[in-house]
Amino acid sequence: MKDPKKQTPITTHTSPYNPITELTWFALVVACVKLLLAPAYHSTDFEVHRHWLALTRTLPLSQWYSDNTSPWTLDYPPFFAHFERFLSLFARLVDPTIVDLHKGLNYSSPSVIIFQRISVIVSDTALMYGVYRLTRNLESRKRILICVLVVWSPGLLIVDHVHFQYNGFLLGILLLSLSFLEEGKDLMGGFLFAVLLCFKHLFAVAAPVYFVYLFRHYCRGGFVRGFGRLVMMGVVVAVVFAAAYGPFVYHGQIHQVLRRMFPFGRGLCHAYWAPNFWVFYIIFDKVLAFLLAKLGFNIQAPTASFTGGLVGDSSPFAVLPQITPLITFMMVLLAISPCLIKAWRDPQPRMITRWVAYAYTCGFLFGWHVHEKASLHFVIPLAIVALRSMEDARHYFLLSIVSCYSLFPLLFEAQEYPIKVLLLLLHSILMWFGFSSQFKTTAAKASAPGQKRGDKVGKNWSSSTVAKKGGFVVRWIEKSYLLGLLVVETWGQFLHPILLGNRFPFLPLMIISIYCALGMMYSWIWQLRWIIRSR
Amino acid sequence: MENKNGMKTVEDADSNDDNTWWWVVHKGIAASFLCISVFALLVRVAVSLHPYSGAGNPPKYGDYEAQRHWMEITLNLPAKEWYHNSTTNDLSYWGLDYPPLTAYQSYLHGLFLRSFHPDSVSLYTSRGHESYLGKLLMRWTVLCSDALTFFPAVLYFAAAYHSGRPSRRKSNIAWHITMILLNPCLILIDHGHFQYNCISLGLTVGAVAAILSNRDLVGCVLFSLALNHKQMSAYFAPPFFSYLLGKCLRGWSPLFEVSKLGLAVLGTFAVVWWPYLHSTEAVLKVLSRLAPFERGIYEDYVANFWCTTSVIIKWKRLFTVPSMKLISFGATVSTCLPSMVQQIWAPSKQGFLYGLLNSSFSFYLFSFQVHEKSILLPLLPATLLALEEPFLFRWITHYAMLSMFPLLCRDQLILPYVALFALFILLYYAPGGRQDTRRAHFPATLKSFVIAFLVSCSLILHIIYLTMRPPKKYPFLFEALIMLLCFSQFMLLAIYTNTKQWMLLKHSTVIDKEKKDH
């Protein structure tokens, strides 16, 4: 009724609401859903974090890393411990038992569950702020779409709000750091990254990229100025690390801290194989051993068993050489090197997000004892660049679905099954709508410059014309790969129990690992190609 | 087919909404419906993680046990014995007291439960059965029923309702669908407390949609099915009757039209009641189960006329049950008569929707044996009218939630209550969701002051109810306060909607006159 008045020229993308209102609104809607998920299944990580609350609350700092009350010893860097101590201030008010070192063990009353769940939800504000800072200069439609991709990321919801961890908060710091780097404020970016490393050291995989980039981008402009800046950056980082580890050095605990943070004796793969390169290596070894045995060679069966044996010291390989942490380290460095060379030659602020994401991809694919959750480290930053081109969108569409699907085994109980499926489904639908609207408009604009983008284009819009005008389409090979996920899921959930019963219980998980590893390798190659080709 | 037509007509409405959420809705009704319904399903699944009514509370448990018990009964006994008290079917323990369609639905769900978890529905031994898998399967039966009846009905309604409206702004439609599908009360009762209201309400929405798209026969059949699922659907019977009667009277052959519709209704009833039609005694036995007059005029603290005025007038002491039946019947009929007369006088689709609201209001406020959960019935037409009456809709949802708050507290559903309430308010005020097209009737400051006062009242009542203990002399003081506040609001809303419906008449005659003049 009022519409004729309301129709504004189409070129303006301004909305009556400012970006903060919209982002807050969306974040609150998501927070409501997160709150509803509170009674869902939570993993042992829940008790881990509860124990850390009690530990940091009751013990003095010097004993944080030497306490043995629970098997879940503190193995995150000091800032995270301080974060837990900060949370414990409130936990004590909610229910004193939560922070009781002994009585609180395996405490699972509603109070602790709601408190910890809400702590994750509230700490996600860091993520919101990171997204806001990274996208505030974009046009409103792109901004809101990226915000949806990150805030409504099904992987984050599954890992943080069902499985239980604080990744949203940590990724928020990473995004903040990236936002400063993209704006050219390198010192602040470097500072935040150092802080992040003192929260969770797994983020260190991107440190080489940061180092090269900051060295070449921040420390330039002549020898004197460059050297001055290098010293400045060095001082900032050193101060951060000193603040984190200094007290432990003072207490003579630093060895204990490092021993806890880098536990040796864990295997190449986690109990459920993260979908990375080593999955192929293991499978290749098995196939080779099988074939050689058929040919009459005397192959000694590995002492470790097929599933569980991968955790532990014993060599699980029958034919292929044993993999040591050093080898994986070298392989990660080697894989990152093209990106380092690029960053050395031409350090551009608008490329840094991609480079960092690429580094995490390499770390995920070739790293030692990688968790499947680590795929979030590159899926979330890549969301920021997903709208820069259609190729990006297409790649992100595939990658985020594969990454989310590879997290499915984390929630293995029947109760959460519809939740994870619906989360992924909704995410895919939103991505599909978002990308197709985004690239439809750009295509329409390109085809009819200066003309009004009106109903006419929208009306006769069918899938065939989309392809011609360069709208968002998923190629058949990607489409069939994604449909294959359906087959894998149907096999694991329905066909396997019916056809094979209880035999080969590891098979469904293994198939998921292998199949998702294919997608991850594709994503790695795609990103590598993109980085090499980019100018 | 309807959906496609609906989509096409919507397509040529303004496609360039200048809001940032445009990309979710730009593909038309079906696409935005898909998106919203997946989200709505997700919310429902999340709510279903929470406790159900009477969890771990023997010996009677709650509605969850009632539904499970019906599955057990219908699965293990022949249809003729479902409503018959016997050694195998103890009617005093959650005896079946809904019409046969509920029994069939229980039977189907029972089959589903039996194939995965036979222990949960075995005769006798499963009484008070509670287990992880049992809860999960039961929750999934509600989810399936919701997704298979309520959701398609809403899609049908959206297509039918919006194809007949002048303004077809896509975001408005999406907002409307969101409001219907994410109604916090219905989600909390069905997926939290545990009931199957989604089926009868879904059938009703389907019937309304059919009527809006001029398929009166389909509407009759669907509404008869709704009546046969829950007798409470009779709250909507007067408007269906009066609108269809009014329409038939204006047709070329009233008698033929009426008998056609009557036959459709009778046929549906005959099919559903088939196992009991062999003797009048059997039918009467079922009927006596459906009308539990022995349970008194009201239950707990329901915000209706009888319960609220019982603070001053002790109805239960003054009158016997039979006379009370007559009095409440008279009050109900007389209050919904104006809206019926209006519809017979000048049947219109919009008037029909208002009629649904008015008659369900008068049933809720004045009829015999009303439960707190019955507020879902007036709420349904209010959600259907959400675009025309956004304020009314928000207000009734607000107070419907408040009126069910004590019940949901007992079920330990406070967390989902808070989350869903917040979600509702957020979605109601979605940026770029709905464009307000109406001007304020009252002076803005006075109106906003009154609203702010009432909202803060309800907020304070929430907090008081959660944190404070009532004085020993009046253990139900807070329930009574909540009831009083809700009743006053419902009463005001009912008066408003009744006048609104009669104003429609004036409005439409004015339009008719203008047309004639031109």
Side-chain angles (χ1 to χ4, degrees):
Chain A
M1 292 162 216
K2 257 191 178 177
D3 282 350
K5 272 188 206 166
K6 279 268 173 183
Q7 272 177 3
T8 44
I10 308 108
T11 42
T12 57
H13 284 279
T14 50
S15 72
Y17 299 88
N18 71 31
I20 298 183
T21 324
E22 282 200 346
L23 182 62
T24 322
W25 178 83
F26 186 67
L28 285 174
V29 168
V30 177
C32 288
V33 178
K34 291 170 182 171
L35 201 59
L36 282 175
L37 289 174
Y41 152 87
H42 51 79
S43 69
T44 48
D45 278 343
F46 183 83
E47 168 61 13
V48 171
H49 285 97
R50 196 223 43 83
H51 178 64
W52 293 355
L53 285 177
L55 183 112
T56 50
R57 177 78 229 152
T58 41
L59 295 178
L61 184 123
S62 56
Q63 291 174 30
W64 283 1
Y65 285 89
S66 51
D67 176 72
N68 274 324
T69 323
S70 150
W72 313 119
T73 52
L74 188 56
D75 57 3
Y76 273 33
F79 277 180
F80 200 85
H82 287 293
F83 172 65
E84 293 279 3
R85 186 175 156 77
F86 172 72
L87 289 180
S88 71
L89 294 178
F90 304 99
R92 201 183 40 156
L93 300 177
V94 173
D95 183 355
T97 325
I98 299 176
V99 291
D100 194 301
L101 195 56
H102 299 284
K103 271 192 266 171
L105 285 179
N106 294 314
Y107 188 51
S108 59
S109 78
S111 66
V112 64
I113 290 175
I114 290 177
F115 173 78
Q116 295 225 71
R117 293 286 195 197
I118 288 180
S119 74
V120 184
I121 295 172
V122 172
S123 70
D124 270 355
T125 1
L127 184 72
M128 310 305 161
Y129 185 62
V131 181
Y132 165 70
R133 258 200 76 95
L134 258 175
T135 58
R136 60 182 173 167
N137 294 326
L138 294 174
E139 57 181 280
S140 61
R141 270 184 201 167
K142 280 191 176 177
R143 193 179 54 222
I144 217 72
L145 188 52
I146 290 175
C147 158
V148 169
L149 291 183
V150 174
V151 179
W152 187 251
S153 158
L156 262 185
L157 280 165
I158 288 176
V159 173
D160 276 13
H161 300 276
V162 184
H163 176 86
F164 201 84
Q165 271 189 350
Y166 288 91
N167 289 297
F169 165 66
L170 300 168
L171 285 167
I173 301 177
L174 178 69
L175 292 188
L176 264 182
S177 159
L178 290 174
S179 80
F180 280 107
L181 290 187
E182 285 204 348
E183 284 170 16
K185 294 173 183 162
D186 291 349
L187 195 62
M188 193 64 189
F191 166 74
L192 281 170
F193 187 67
V195 170
L196 177 66
L197 289 189
C198 293
F199 267 106
K200 193 172 182 181
H201 48 306
L202 280 179
F203 282 96
V205 181
V209 176
Y210 262 88
F211 180 76
V212 170
Y213 174 80
L214 288 177
F215 186 70
R216 292 289 293 169
H217 189 256
Y218 182 64
C219 312
R220 62 183 172 182
F223 180 75
V224 179
R225 190 164 166 241
F227 188 71
R229 289 189 151 197
L230 184 65
V231 169
M232 184 108 118
M233 183 62 84
V235 167
V236 165
V237 172
V239 164
V240 171
F241 276 83
Y245 295 97
F248 296 96
V249 175
Y250 173 77
H251 289 293
Q253 283 281 314
I254 191 70
H255 281 290
Q256 181 63 23
V257 173
L258 294 180
R259 201 176 305 143
R260 284 275 165 91
M261 276 169 55
F262 300 98
F264 295 105
R266 285 192 183 171
L268 173 65
C269 288
H270 194 233
Y272 155 64
W273 308 344
N276 62 8
F277 173 76
W278 302 117
V279 169
F280 296 121
Y281 191 79
I282 296 167
I283 296 298
F284 188 55
D285 178 68
K286 296 282 168 202
V287 172
L288 218 56
F290 179 75
L291 288 180
L292 289 178
K294 278 267 157 144
L295 290 172
F297 289 92
N298 181 22
I299 303 293
Q300 264 196 329
T303 47
S305 77
F306 199 59
T307 43
L310 294 165
V311 186
D313 279 329
S314 53
S315 168
F317 301 107
V319 185
L320 294 177
Q322 163 78 310
I323 300 296
T324 63
L326 189 68
I327 297 178
T328 61
F329 181 72
M330 295 313 291
M331 280 192 71
V332 171
L333 260 189
L334 190 72
I336 299 179
S337 55
C339 159
L340 295 182
I341 294 167
K342 274 278 174 188
W344 181 273
R345 278 194 193 151
D346 183 18
Q348 290 176 33
R350 60 179 190 89
M351 292 296 292
I352 185 68
T353 309
R354 275 176 208 283
W355 288 336
V356 168
Y358 175 73
Y360 286 129
T361 315
C362 297
F364 178 81
L365 279 178
F366 302 106
W368 179 262
H369 195 81
V370 174
H371 281 249
E372 61 278 21
K373 298 159 224 160
S375 65
L376 289 175
H377 294 181
F378 55 96
V379 174
I380 299 293
L382 278 175
I384 307 295
V385 293
L387 290 183
R388 292 209 182 149
S389 73
M390 219 208 355
E391 288 289 303
D392 275 312
R394 204 177 278 160
H395 163 249
Y396 188 77
F397 187 76
L398 183 99
L399 174 66
S400 70
I401 290 177
V402 172
S403 143
C404 175
Y405 182 69
S406 74
L407 294 172
F408 269 24
L410 278 180
L411 313 182
F412 51 87
E413 288 189 20
Q415 185 176 236
E416 283 75 24
Y417 189 75
I419 293 179
K420 58 185 183 183
V421 171
L422 286 172
L423 275 174
L424 179 55
L425 192 64
L426 186 54
H427 178 67
S428 323
I429 294 173
L430 284 175
M431 266 199 299
W432 179 264
F433 285 1
F435 290 155
S436 48
S437 79
Q438 193 62 37
F439 295 105
K440 168 181 151 185
T441 53
T442 48
K445 266 181 202 162
S447 65
Q451 271 184 28
K452 266 196 172 185
R453 173 184 54 77
D455 309 43
K456 279 174 194 166
V457 191
K459 252 188 202 170
N460 41 27
W461 203 263
S462 61
S463 52
S464 59
T465 53
V466 174
K468 272 180 211 157
K469 291 182 184 170
F472 180 71
V473 276
V474 177
R475 279 181 298 239
W476 67 268
I477 186 154
E478 291 160 349
K479 219 178 267 174
S480 44
Y481 175 76
L482 290 177
L483 286 176
L485 285 178
L486 265 181
V487 177
V488 169
E489 182 61 15
T490 330
W491 167 262
Q493 288 296 327
F494 307 105
L495 298 180
H496 183 92
I498 293 170
L499 296 178
L500 294 175
N502 289 329
R503 282 177 296 162
F504 312 115
F506 53 85
L507 199 59
L509 282 188
M510 205 178 80
I511 294 176
I512 294 179
S513 270
I514 297 171
Y515 199 75
C516 289
L518 281 174
M520 291 292 181
M521 290 300 273
Y522 163 80
S523 163
W524 173 62
I525 292 167
W526 186 90
Q527 289 184 55
L528 181 64
R529 225 177 51 158
W530 207 98
I531 283 170
I532 290 173
R533 280 186 184 173
S534 70
R535 221 153 272 164
Chain B
M1 278 315 283
E2 277 83 35
N3 304 342
K4 278 197 173 166
N5 292 336
M7 256 176 68
K8 266 184 191 161
T9 45
V10 171
E11 206 74 56
D12 46 44
D14 46 348
S15 70
N16 43 6
D17 289 2
D18 55 333
N19 77 69
T20 41
W21 292 98
W22 167 84
W23 55 275
V24 184
V25 297
H26 78 284
K27 287 200 174 183
I29 288 192
S32 42
F33 176 82
L34 178 73
C35 204
I36 296 164
S37 59
V38 173
F39 181 71
L41 267 181
L42 181 70
V43 169
R44 281 161 164 76
V45 177
V47 171
S48 75
L49 299 171
H50 293 261
Y52 45 82
S53 77
N57 185 20
K60 277 287 252 184
Y61 302 93
D63 276 347
Y64 172 87
E65 171 63 10
Q67 300 284 352
R68 197 210 52 72
H69 180 66
W70 295 346
M71 291 178 197
E72 169 198 334
I73 291 298
T74 49
L75 201 58
N76 293 301
L77 298 178
K80 280 172 192 166
E81 290 178 34
W82 288 348
Y83 294 89
H84 180 69
N85 199 18
S86 65
T87 48
T88 46
N89 184 11
D90 177 13
L91 286 183
S92 64
Y93 183 81
W94 297 118
L96 196 52
D97 52 4
Y98 282 127
L101 198 59
T102 296
Y104 302 143
Q105 163 245 316
S106 295
Y107 176 73
L108 280 180
H109 289 155
L111 285 177
F112 171 74
L113 252 75
R114 188 164 66 183
S115 60
F116 289 97
H117 192 41
D119 290 350
S120 65
V121 283
S122 60
L123 198 58
Y124 310 125
T125 51
S126 67
R127 275 201 188 174
H129 177 94
E130 287 185 302
S131 64
Y132 174 84
L133 190 60
K135 175 188 173 186
L136 203 61
L137 292 172
M138 290 282 281
R139 290 295 200 191
W140 285 357
T141 59
V142 191
L143 274 174
C144 291
S145 322
D146 214 348
L148 292 178
T149 49
F150 194 70
F151 282 55
V154 171
L155 180 61
Y156 184 22
F157 172 80
Y161 179 73
H162 287 284
S163 65
R165 276 173 67 84
S167 161
R168 287 193 291 268
R169 213 171 141 266
K170 280 176 191 165
S171 340
N172 274 349
I173 301 173
W175 180 85
H176 196 188
I177 296 174
T178 314
M179 287 297 117
I180 305 176
L181 285 183
L182 281 157
N183 192 314
C185 303
L186 182 60
I187 299 179
L188 278 170
I189 291 297
D190 274 11
H191 301 270
H193 176 89
F194 206 93
Q195 276 195 342
Y196 293 90
N197 293 301
C198 50
I199 299 181
S200 61
L201 293 183
L203 289 168
T204 310
V205 173
V208 172
I211 294 222
L212 290 184
S213 50
N214 292 323
R215 290 157 199 270
D216 296 346
L217 269 179
V218 179
C220 278
V221 171
L222 284 175
F223 184 65
S224 309
L225 287 176
L227 268 176
N228 275 311
H229 190 265
K230 283 206 163 192
Q231 62 271 43
M232 251 102 80
S233 307
Y235 286 22
F236 300 127
F240 272 96
F241 171 76
S242 52
Y243 170 79
L244 290 175
L245 182 67
K247 204 176 162 190
C248 290
L249 289 179
R250 300 186 150 209
W252 55 275
S253 162
L255 200 66
F256 173 70
E257 305 252 316
V258 170
S259 54
K260 202 170 71 177
L261 296 178
L263 275 179
V265 173
L266 284 180
T268 317
F269 267 83
V271 170
V272 175
W273 286 70
W274 189 250
Y276 308 99
L277 287 182
H278 56 91
S279 74
T280 46
E281 188 202 10
V283 174
L284 285 177
K285 197 177 267 166
V286 179
L287 278 178
S288 71
R289 289 293 307 157
L290 301 188
F293 287 116
E294 73 278 9
R295 279 163 77 175
I297 181 146
Y298 52 82
E299 241 177 52
D300 296 335
Y301 277 81
V302 56
N304 76 352
F305 178 77
W306 306 114
C307 192
T308 312
T309 49
S310 71
V311 176
I312 311 158
I313 311 163
K314 300 291 171 208
W315 299 105
K316 280 185 180 174
R317 256 180 265 157
L318 278 175
F319 298 97
T320 58
V321 169
S323 55
M324 205 59 231
K325 261 194 265 183
L326 273 181
I327 295 171
S328 63
F329 181 74
T332 314
V333 169
S334 56
T335 44
C336 71
L337 210 56
S339 121
M340 284 179 76
V341 170
Q342 192 272 345
Q343 276 306 289
I344 298 173
W345 183 270
S348 71
K349 283 169 186 171
Q350 206 180 5
F352 170 62
L353 288 176
Y354 278 100
L356 287 171
L357 185 52
N358 288 327
S359 108
S360 50
F361 254 140
S362 51
F363 271 80
Y364 176 79
L365 291 172
F366 295 104
S367 75
F368 199 85
Q369 234 289 310
V370 176
H371 201 274
E372 293 110 309
K373 283 164 264 175
S374 307
I375 191 63
L376 287 177
L377 293 140
L379 196 56
L380 182 77
T383 44
L384 300 185
L385 280 167
L387 262 184
E388 282 164 63
E389 298 282 352
F391 177 74
L392 170 110
F393 165 61
R394 186 179 63 129
W395 211 238
I396 185 174
T397 310
H398 189 123
Y399 284 97
M401 286 292 271
L402 178 63
S403 75
M404 293 194 306
F405 185 57
L407 174 83
L408 296 169
C409 271
R410 251 177 287 146
D411 295 342
Q412 296 173 316
L413 290 169
I414 301 171
L415 184 71
Y417 178 90
V418 172
L420 281 184
F421 212 153
L423 188 65
F424 168 74
I425 292 169
L426 285 168
L427 291 174
Y428 182 89
Y429 289 109
R434 173 182 58 88
Q435 279 181 358
D436 217 342
T437 49
R438 51 187 54 244
R439 274 153 269 125
H441 296 291
F442 302 102
T445 46
L446 179 71
K447 192 185 171 193
S448 60
F449 174 75
V450 173
I451 289 172
F453 174 73
L454 287 169
V455 168
S456 52
C457 267
S458 76
L459 202 67
I460 292 166
L461 271 176
H462 277 116
I463 295 167
I464 287 181
Y465 190 82
L466 279 181
T467 53
M468 282 168 55
R469 248 161 216 248
K472 275 202 180 127
K473 206 174 164 194
Y474 306 105
F476 296 109
L477 177 70
F478 300 148
E479 278 91 345
L481 281 177
I482 289 176
M483 171 191 81
L484 271 175
L485 182 62
C486 292
F487 172 71
S488 64
Q489 298 310 308
F490 292 151
M491 202 66 201
L492 283 176
L493 290 177
I495 293 168
Y496 167 75
T497 50
N498 269 298
T499 39
K500 185 87 187 188
Q501 194 185 344
W502 274 90
M503 294 288 274
L504 282 180
L505 193 65
K506 199 171 142 196
H507 189 67
S508 61
T509 46
V510 170
I511 289 177
D512 283 344
K513 262 186 194 168
E514 274 176 5
K515 270 184 189 165
K516 272 174 197 167
D517 289 344
H518 276 291

